[in-house]
Amino acid sequence: MVGSRIDVGLMGATGTVGLRLAEMLEAHPWFRLAEAGASAGSAGRRFGDALADLGVEDTALSDAVLDLELREPDGEWEAGLLLSALPSDAAAPIERGLAVRGHLVVSNASSHRMDPDVPLIIPEINPEHLELLERQRRRWPGAIVTNPNCSVAGLAVALAPLHRAFGIEAATAVTMQALSGAGRSEGLAERVEDNILPYIPGEEEKIGLEAQKILGVLTGEGIRPAAFPVSAQAHRVPVSHGHLLAVSVKLEREATPEEAAAALSGFEPALDVDLPSASHRLIEVLDERDRPQPRLDRDRGAGMTVSVGRVRRCEALDLKFSALVHNLVRGAAGAALLNAELCRVRGLLGVGGVGAGRGAAP
Amino acid sequence: MVGSRIDVGLMGATGTVGLRLAEMLEAHPWFRLAEAGASAGSAGRRFGDALADLGVEDTALSDAVLDLELREPDGEWEAGLLLSALPSDAAAPIERGLAVRGHLVVSNASSHRMDPDVPLIIPEINPEHLELLERQRRRWPGAIVTNPNCSVAGLAVALAPLHRAFGIEAATAVTMQALSGAGRSEGLAERVEDNILPYIPGEEEKIGLEAQKILGVLTGEGIRPAAFPVSAQAHRVPVSHGHLLAVSVKLEREATPEEAAAALSGFEPALDVDLPSASHRLIEVLDERDRPQPRLDRDRGAGMTVSVGRVRRCEALDLKFSALVHNLVRGAAGAALLNAELCRVRGLLGVGGVGAGRGAAP
Amino acid sequence: MVGSRIDVGLMGATGTVGLRLAEMLEAHPWFRLAEAGASAGSAGRRFGDALADLGVEDTALSDAVLDLELREPDGEWEAGLLLSALPSDAAAPIERGLAVRGHLVVSNASSHRMDPDVPLIIPEINPEHLELLERQRRRWPGAIVTNPNCSVAGLAVALAPLHRAFGIEAATAVTMQALSGAGRSEGLAERVEDNILPYIPGEEEKIGLEAQKILGVLTGEGIRPAAFPVSAQAHRVPVSHGHLLAVSVKLEREATPEEAAAALSGFEPALDVDLPSASHRLIEVLDERDRPQPRLDRDRGAGMTVSVGRVRRCEALDLKFSALVHNLVRGAAGAALLNAELCRVRGLLGVGGVGAGRGAAP
Amino acid sequence: MVGSRIDVGLMGATGTVGLRLAEMLEAHPWFRLAEAGASAGSAGRRFGDALADLGVEDTALSDAVLDLELREPDGEWEAGLLLSALPSDAAAPIERGLAVRGHLVVSNASSHRMDPDVPLIIPEINPEHLELLERQRRRWPGAIVTNPNCSVAGLAVALAPLHRAFGIEAATAVTMQALSGAGRSEGLAERVEDNILPYIPGEEEKIGLEAQKILGVLTGEGIRPAAFPVSAQAHRVPVSHGHLLAVSVKLEREATPEEAAAALSGFEPALDVDLPSASHRLIEVLDERDRPQPRLDRDRGAGMTVSVGRVRRCEALDLKFSALVHNLVRGAAGAALLNAELCRVRGLLGVGGVGAGRGAAP
């Protein structure tokens, strides 16, 4: 029954991540996509028509959703819970304004990720960081919750078990990032054909800072980030979906590749409840020596599993391995949805709580 | 000396075609890029900054050009001659308004190509169609001149010699179009990875109608289009630049493949003057049986030469062959520039003529 | 039970098609891969080791199959039924020699396809052509049965319903063929990157002749090929799997696009039994205007369904449409396997029949 | 005059590297391609025909070269100087046998690179290692000289200036290697489409060992390899040509990114003569923050220049940067040719020296 699902609004619905979120909401057991918004140019248009304008023909969206009239993101929303797939430059003031008006904004945008009182969460890794929301209450009645950058989503998941088991002293990560992870970029398609771009604006800084925050410790003063340095080199490659990372780590306590693989595959998520969008396996360690590969492994766990392979000694640091994350799912749309689910089980939706928009219902 | 070059304005400067036009103007012997405009969102920004926002890092533009302040396309322009690389939906009213205000608008947009009194020109093929401008004078003091769709630019050039020599009864063209020929299309890069899209909105209709108009005859009533049917099947393929066409033709008069190849390679352009952007060879007929290929042949004649190969008998029609056109140069930026050059040698720029904007000088 | 499956031998096992065949045999209800052969260089090697030498790491093969010792294709075989994925230059004398020795050779190689007494079969289209084997009996105790070229596999399936319903007068087919359909070709990978090759040796001739033979009529004199001309233009494109065809047809009797689409989707296969490898739907007509696409549609019906889309009027002939075939499955491995299954239900395996090799059992 | 050029033989002429070598020899001022050999299967065939069999249509070879009759690599050769582009498994015994017979074998194969008395040379980096040939004289009258693996060719060139100026303590290198660098690999093209392979057999070990040998010191006991560890992670990516490397280094003496860039761009090659195939600039340091890119930068210096960019601080080691090498030129064919040129200027060709084959002339 529709009536039993919680209405949510979706901002940035016509972008790649927004569209994926809309599709994931179609059959969601808890949430129902009731409102959608896009940039000023599309506001007032039918969702399906705006997608067609952008050359998007095939979607898995129902007619009810395609018939939604797009609103301006900074306008009025009925839903208490808003999912944000806005571009980062637009997101900052809009999301803040909505928090002021009492909405719970679960955002994939980078704008607020590093704010001291905004939790940056991967539910299986650091769900306790959600307590930062108490610090937000001093600022506004609503709340902003964020998920990490698409590369960090894979890196932090792969580092967490090693950090917990052996302590990490330093990490390097060379990323090979898929096309669908790029924001709108004029002529990207032809620039990456038969080519690799060794630079993605702002990406390397995000990878280091966000990984440290996620793996940090919640204290009375806020998050104390993990102290180990993370050095990233980010590349755009001609692959449709799936970010591949070549990682090396220096450990505080010695570990063989076998012990590290065991720590990875045996990792117990730091979450005591089942969330609908969580995969059965957070991490899958592959045995074949030529895996993970983007095309073959990105869809594991419906895109929510991080695949790790080739765990072996590193001649320069201690260990090295490959990790693969589906940038649009575990790295963006699925990550935001998972955070929304976490918010619900933590009781953050509903009357009297944050996120009690005009249309919100428990 | 800069002083001796004619100032031109460029509309749609931040798009792929606009940027290419700006680059071609840097060292142009006749024209100087004096003003640039882009969509409302970018107006007021420095040209170089607006490009950086779109992820465009490397250009061949001078600092003087990068420092231009972008204006709104439908605002005031000093230059009499305006080059338009606007998206087609925006172009129609803007270009019309500028013609009303006396500008000569040389446009790559599709909006006005099929207007009865707007010339659709490839200077080497149908320069006499420029006389249609006399019909425009009844409507406005300025003028609009257009070049064809990027695929048509190759098709019409390849068909013209055969039509002149043997008469064409029917033609089919299957296009394999490069990524840089797409307008802005959400997620195009990842959708075309390991894939082909067998549909490009509006493309097949344009290919037929525009080819017929270009190969048509100027009469007292306007252009009488070529009577033969053109059936197109358009595809987007994972290639950066260069549209490849597989063409079959039915001829009025019999011709062997050798005769057809001779007609193609010996074609005399219908133009009695040298234009700076015209290539030495309009058509190059390649002998190797596996050519033309986009990556190897698209840059012939600095992108202004159409390459033809594999001319052979067609079991269903009469002859078949492959043709290749650089979609951004001969198919867009170079085509518009060539039309602007044609307008100059025809005396259409300057005091008292069309295109006498406030800043125009002979 | 293994005991109840018929032992088959596989020639050319280490190639792309051979490997796929081996994988399809793993869970086959009727056949068991008992012997495998490859070129002289690999003979005597363990199958799995020979694959590793070629850089093939991941397969879906069981250890029992990986442990097979490769034999020389022209050596002794126990199995009566031999599947051939040999390269065509090697196949001709080897397959002939095996037919002389009494084997039933079901071949994907092109060597014998156009022999007057060798059936070229798509079981759903022309199973009656199998009667040609009676003509082979005059030459040798065994038999050779072939399936078509990978592009023809799609083309003939798409043309058959139109030919049956309306009669075809002429057809043109521009193919965009995937990388996995190429035989071994030095440096193919890098030559097709950011590129299209407009020529595939021998391909265009095969497409015409084989389509005409498959759609031909069995007479007392052999096959009378379909009389309509087929003009092909073949291209290699940067796509992993899935050949896309842009087809135009001239019909004997008028038909609207709707009638043609109905004939395609309602086509009744000319086969009265179920074969294990046949897909539930031979042809699927897609409604979306931008389909079929290789990446999205090649795996329909486990790769055995031919997808057709965009059926519409052709301005030059009568109708045009897109067709997609998985080149390795419906176009090669699956096609051969289907033919072997047809041979079994027609009673061609077993004691006293052709194909009674030393190890054959009913 | 042909007569004044030195005759050379080419082994492995039909492979990607061999073909490139043959093309580079066409206009070479010192050497003339007089004999060519390929695997047993092609021996006795005309060179041009053997190439056509492999699907290679277009080459830059003269008719005189295409008309050469291919011989077996381990047969008799007239030329004293033999260039080897053999696959490594075949190369070991053949090259050894030819050295025994007095030939100078300049090899791109990996077989002998790590032999203690075989020089592994980049002429601009370690030309003095050629003295190792004196140790070979104890074994055979001829000689074997090798160039490094295609990735090492870029890595060693980029590390050499930093090692000389600041001392290197450790290095990590993540490679993104182009398709043309792969040996023959069944189905590589389709496996890398929309994909990255995180494993190349044997590659990571070679990268470490070869870099250490090249940057090592010649002693009375042979080469003492550089002592710093090199940790490589090798990937195959969908790019035609050009290996991109993401490198991090730990230095013995502190250096800012600016100092490191200055050391790189100001590096003085350790070679006092001009060789015809050497580029004017061994290393080019690019300023743009998104360079080097394979498609845009691989052809610098006709493929002999190594491009370096993005020199910056590394949070985990000391500095990081990107390096790009044309794998077929600086990484293979050009490297071997350069070594042959070095041998000539060092007086190793000619009467009485090594390499005095039956057809050798000074």
Side-chain angles (χ1 to χ4, degrees), chain D residues 146-162:
Chain D
T146 65
N147 59 270
N149 167 283
C150 45
S151 286
V152 175
L155 181 63
V157 165
L159 293 183
L162 302 177

PDB file of all heavy atoms in Angstrom, chain D residues 146-162:
ATOM      1  N   THR D 146      69.902  -5.531 -24.588  1.00  0.00           N
ATOM      2  CA  THR D 146      68.449  -5.439 -24.420  1.00  0.00           C
ATOM      3  C   THR D 146      68.000  -4.054 -23.983  1.00  0.00           C
ATOM      4  O   THR D 146      68.768  -3.267 -23.439  1.00  0.00           O
ATOM      5  CB  THR D 146      67.951  -6.448 -23.355  1.00  0.00           C
ATOM      6  OG1 THR D 146      68.500  -6.085 -22.083  1.00  0.00           O
ATOM      7  CG2 THR D 146      68.360  -7.865 -23.698  1.00  0.00           C
ATOM      8  N   ASN D 147      66.722  -3.786 -24.268  1.00  0.00           N
ATOM      9  CA  ASN D 147      66.083  -2.575 -23.753  1.00  0.00           C
ATOM     10  C   ASN D 147      64.984  -3.017 -22.796  1.00  0.00           C
ATOM     11  O   ASN D 147      64.542  -4.161 -22.826  1.00  0.00           O
ATOM     12  CB  ASN D 147      65.517  -1.731 -24.889  1.00  0.00           C
ATOM     13  CG  ASN D 147      64.501  -2.470 -25.724  1.00  0.00           C
ATOM     14  OD1 ASN D 147      64.862  -3.120 -26.712  1.00  0.00           O
ATOM     15  ND2 ASN D 147      63.233  -2.429 -25.345  1.00  0.00           N
ATOM     16  N   PRO D 148      64.517  -2.093 -21.953  1.00  0.00           N
ATOM     17  CA  PRO D 148      63.576  -2.524 -20.906  1.00  0.00           C
ATOM     18  C   PRO D 148      62.151  -2.705 -21.418  1.00  0.00           C
ATOM     19  O   PRO D 148      61.783  -2.286 -22.515  1.00  0.00           O
ATOM     20  CB  PRO D 148      63.643  -1.380 -19.897  1.00  0.00           C
ATOM     21  CG  PRO D 148      64.027  -0.185 -20.685  1.00  0.00           C
ATOM     22  CD  PRO D 148      64.948  -0.696 -21.760  1.00  0.00           C
ATOM     23  N   ASN D 149      61.358  -3.320 -20.577  1.00  0.00           N
ATOM     24  CA  ASN D 149      59.900  -3.387 -20.645  1.00  0.00           C
ATOM     25  C   ASN D 149      59.321  -2.001 -20.931  1.00  0.00           C
ATOM     26  O   ASN D 149      59.870  -0.988 -20.512  1.00  0.00           O
ATOM     27  CB  ASN D 149      59.443  -3.887 -19.261  1.00  0.00           C
ATOM     28  CG  ASN D 149      57.980  -3.740 -19.013  1.00  0.00           C
ATOM     29  OD1 ASN D 149      57.513  -2.647 -18.737  1.00  0.00           O
ATOM     30  ND2 ASN D 149      57.252  -4.827 -19.127  1.00  0.00           N
ATOM     31  N   CYS D 150      58.183  -1.980 -21.602  1.00  0.00           N
ATOM     32  CA  CYS D 150      57.603  -0.717 -22.061  1.00  0.00           C
ATOM     33  C   CYS D 150      57.244   0.235 -20.923  1.00  0.00           C
ATOM     34  O   CYS D 150      57.368   1.446 -21.061  1.00  0.00           O
ATOM     35  CB  CYS D 150      56.390  -0.976 -22.950  1.00  0.00           C
ATOM     36  SG  CYS D 150      55.250  -2.221 -22.338  1.00  0.00           S
ATOM     37  N   SER D 151      56.795  -0.291 -19.793  1.00  0.00           N
ATOM     38  CA  SER D 151      56.489   0.604 -18.674  1.00  0.00           C
ATOM     39  C   SER D 151      57.761   1.108 -18.020  1.00  0.00           C
ATOM     40  O   SER D 151      57.852   2.268 -17.619  1.00  0.00           O
ATOM     41  CB  SER D 151      55.635  -0.119 -17.628  1.00  0.00           C
ATOM     42  OG  SER D 151      54.319  -0.261 -18.083  1.00  0.00           O
ATOM     43  N   VAL D 152      58.738   0.223 -17.911  1.00  0.00           N
ATOM     44  CA  VAL D 152      60.004   0.619 -17.283  1.00  0.00           C
ATOM     45  C   VAL D 152      60.675   1.719 -18.105  1.00  0.00           C
ATOM     46  O   VAL D 152      61.321   2.616 -17.554  1.00  0.00           O
ATOM     47  CB  VAL D 152      60.934  -0.606 -17.140  1.00  0.00           C
ATOM     48  CG1 VAL D 152      62.298  -0.182 -16.614  1.00  0.00           C
ATOM     49  CG2 VAL D 152      60.302  -1.648 -16.239  1.00  0.00           C
ATOM     50  N   ALA D 153      60.517   1.654 -19.419  1.00  0.00           N
ATOM     51  CA  ALA D 153      61.121   2.679 -20.272  1.00  0.00           C
ATOM     52  C   ALA D 153      60.688   4.073 -19.824  1.00  0.00           C
ATOM     53  O   ALA D 153      61.479   5.021 -19.844  1.00  0.00           O
ATOM     54  CB  ALA D 153      60.738   2.444 -21.728  1.00  0.00           C
ATOM     55  N   GLY D 154      59.423   4.205 -19.408  1.00  0.00           N
ATOM     56  CA  GLY D 154      58.964   5.498 -18.904  1.00  0.00           C
ATOM     57  C   GLY D 154      59.389   5.730 -17.467  1.00  0.00           C
ATOM     58  O   GLY D 154      59.842   6.808 -17.095  1.00  0.00           O
ATOM     59  N   LEU D 155      59.257   4.690 -16.660  1.00  0.00           N
ATOM     60  CA  LEU D 155      59.532   4.855 -15.229  1.00  0.00           C
ATOM     61  C   LEU D 155      60.998   5.174 -14.972  1.00  0.00           C
ATOM     62  O   LEU D 155      61.324   6.101 -14.223  1.00  0.00           O
ATOM     63  CB  LEU D 155      59.129   3.573 -14.480  1.00  0.00           C
ATOM     64  CG  LEU D 155      59.328   3.598 -12.976  1.00  0.00           C
ATOM     65  CD1 LEU D 155      58.467   4.667 -12.332  1.00  0.00           C
ATOM     66  CD2 LEU D 155      59.030   2.233 -12.358  1.00  0.00           C
ATOM     67  N   ALA D 156      61.894   4.429 -15.614  1.00  0.00           N
ATOM     68  CA  ALA D 156      63.327   4.632 -15.351  1.00  0.00           C
ATOM     69  C   ALA D 156      63.767   6.016 -15.812  1.00  0.00           C
ATOM     70  O   ALA D 156      64.580   6.669 -15.153  1.00  0.00           O
ATOM     71  CB  ALA D 156      64.142   3.547 -16.037  1.00  0.00           C
ATOM     72  N   VAL D 157      63.218   6.453 -16.940  1.00  0.00           N
ATOM     73  CA  VAL D 157      63.578   7.792 -17.415  1.00  0.00           C
ATOM     74  C   VAL D 157      63.107   8.856 -16.430  1.00  0.00           C
ATOM     75  O   VAL D 157      63.810   9.832 -16.160  1.00  0.00           O
ATOM     76  CB  VAL D 157      62.985   8.034 -18.822  1.00  0.00           C
ATOM     77  CG1 VAL D 157      63.030   9.518 -19.186  1.00  0.00           C
ATOM     78  CG2 VAL D 157      63.740   7.212 -19.865  1.00  0.00           C
ATOM     79  N   ALA D 158      61.928   8.672 -15.873  1.00  0.00           N
ATOM     80  CA  ALA D 158      61.404   9.679 -14.941  1.00  0.00           C
ATOM     81  C   ALA D 158      62.097   9.620 -13.588  1.00  0.00           C
ATOM     82  O   ALA D 158      62.238  10.636 -12.902  1.00  0.00           O
ATOM     83  CB  ALA D 158      59.893   9.495 -14.775  1.00  0.00           C
ATOM     84  N   LEU D 159      62.534   8.429 -13.188  1.00  0.00           N
ATOM     85  CA  LEU D 159      63.197   8.321 -11.884  1.00  0.00           C
ATOM     86  C   LEU D 159      64.660   8.755 -11.929  1.00  0.00           C
ATOM     87  O   LEU D 159      65.206   9.236 -10.924  1.00  0.00           O
ATOM     88  CB  LEU D 159      63.117   6.878 -11.365  1.00  0.00           C
ATOM     89  CG  LEU D 159      61.725   6.349 -10.992  1.00  0.00           C
ATOM     90  CD1 LEU D 159      61.844   4.932 -10.433  1.00  0.00           C
ATOM     91  CD2 LEU D 159      61.035   7.263  -9.965  1.00  0.00           C
ATOM     92  N   ALA D 160      65.293   8.590 -13.070  1.00  0.00           N
ATOM     93  CA  ALA D 160      66.743   8.830 -13.142  1.00  0.00           C
ATOM     94  C   ALA D 160      67.140  10.229 -12.665  1.00  0.00           C
ATOM     95  O   ALA D 160      68.060  10.361 -11.835  1.00  0.00           O
ATOM     96  CB  ALA D 160      67.241   8.575 -14.565  1.00  0.00           C
ATOM     97  N   PRO D 161      66.493  11.289 -13.141  1.00  0.00           N
ATOM     98  CA  PRO D 161      66.910  12.619 -12.680  1.00  0.00           C
ATOM     99  C   PRO D 161      66.690  12.810 -11.184  1.00  0.00           C
ATOM    100  O   PRO D 161      67.494  13.477 -10.507  1.00  0.00           O
ATOM    101  CB  PRO D 161      66.002  13.574 -13.476  1.00  0.00           C
ATOM    102  CG  PRO D 161      65.521  12.772 -14.643  1.00  0.00           C
ATOM    103  CD  PRO D 161      65.434  11.365 -14.159  1.00  0.00           C
ATOM    104  N   LEU D 162      65.626  12.224 -10.653  1.00  0.00           N
ATOM    105  CA  LEU D 162      65.343  12.386  -9.225  1.00  0.00           C
ATOM    106  C   LEU D 162      66.362  11.586  -8.406  1.00  0.00           C
ATOM    107  O   LEU D 162      66.811  12.030  -7.350  1.00  0.00           O
ATOM    108  CB  LEU D 162      63.923  11.919  -8.917  1.00  0.00           C
ATOM    109  CG  LEU D 162      62.832  12.658  -9.707  1.00  0.00           C
ATOM    110  CD1 LEU D 162      61.460  12.077  -9.390  1.00  0.00           C
ATOM    111  CD2 LEU D 162      62.854  14.152  -9.380  1.00  0.00           C
TER     112      LEU D 162
END
